[in-house]
Amino acid sequence: VAKSNCGQSTTGAVWSFTTICPSPGSFSYTSPSNGATNQARDVDLDWGDSSGATSYDVYFGTTNPPPLLTNTASSLYDLGTLNYGATYYWQIVAKNSCSNISGLIWSFTTIPCPTPGTPSSPSPSSGATGVLTNPTLSWGVTSNTDSYDVYFGTASDPPYVGNTTSTSYPLSSLNTNSTYYWKIVAKSNCGQSTTGAVWSFT
């Protein structure tokens, strides 16, 4: 509005302008690398900071393209504990109030379900005689094992009698002068198992 000291004024038109809106800068993934295998189940997603970004959308899952998992201000994300032997896909989108920039979709595969070790060191020892009629079966700890199936009976292919997380299994009221057979199957919670030898005692 142009004004004179004697009271006259003239109003100009209304003008407008728009300020710049910078897009987030480029960024690169750090780990896990694309196509990586045998990754730990507690792997974290890590990517470089994007200049101008205020947050990141994290897309993650077992399908390609992966679904949106969360939004975070950090360039590192803890996934928690993943499944064994699974392939996961991930993508990061850097964002600010004006626009966003998407990274590529990468993938990685976690370590396979580990196979339990073979049960060994039986007690009573295999072939033992003169064993009491109320023995406790015991065996050595096996690696990658969460529980044990116990097979026991008078047949050389003994039937299943129970499951335990211990390395021992109590018995009672066995017949005298009888031969018994037993075996242990070491099992993991992810579905793997290893069957031990058939042992016997009298």
Side-chain angles (χ1 to χ4, degrees), residues 19-22 42 53 55 62-63 72 76 90 99 106 111 115 119 145 147 164 170 186 192:
T19 56
I20 62 171
C21 183
D42 60 351
S55 69
T62 55
T63 58
T72 178
L76 179 70
W90 63 293
S99 60
W106 278 17
I111 59 173
T115 302
T145 301
S147 67
T164 179
Q192 297 286 3

Side-chain angles (χ1 to χ4, degrees), residues 85-145:
T87 297
Y88 292 95
Y89 300 88
W90 63 293
Q91 181 182 30
I92 303 300
V93 177
K95 305 175 68 176
N96 61 23
S97 60
C98 303
S99 60
N100 58 63
I101 180 172
S102 299
L104 298 174
I105 296 176
W106 278 17
S107 68
F108 66 90
T109 303
T110 54
I111 59 173
C113 177
T115 302
T118 303
S120 61
S121 305
S123 178
S125 59
S126 189
T129 60
V131 176
L132 297 178
T133 57
N134 61 341
T136 294
L137 304 178
S138 65
W139 54 93
V141 175
T142 57
S143 59
N144 304 317
T145 301

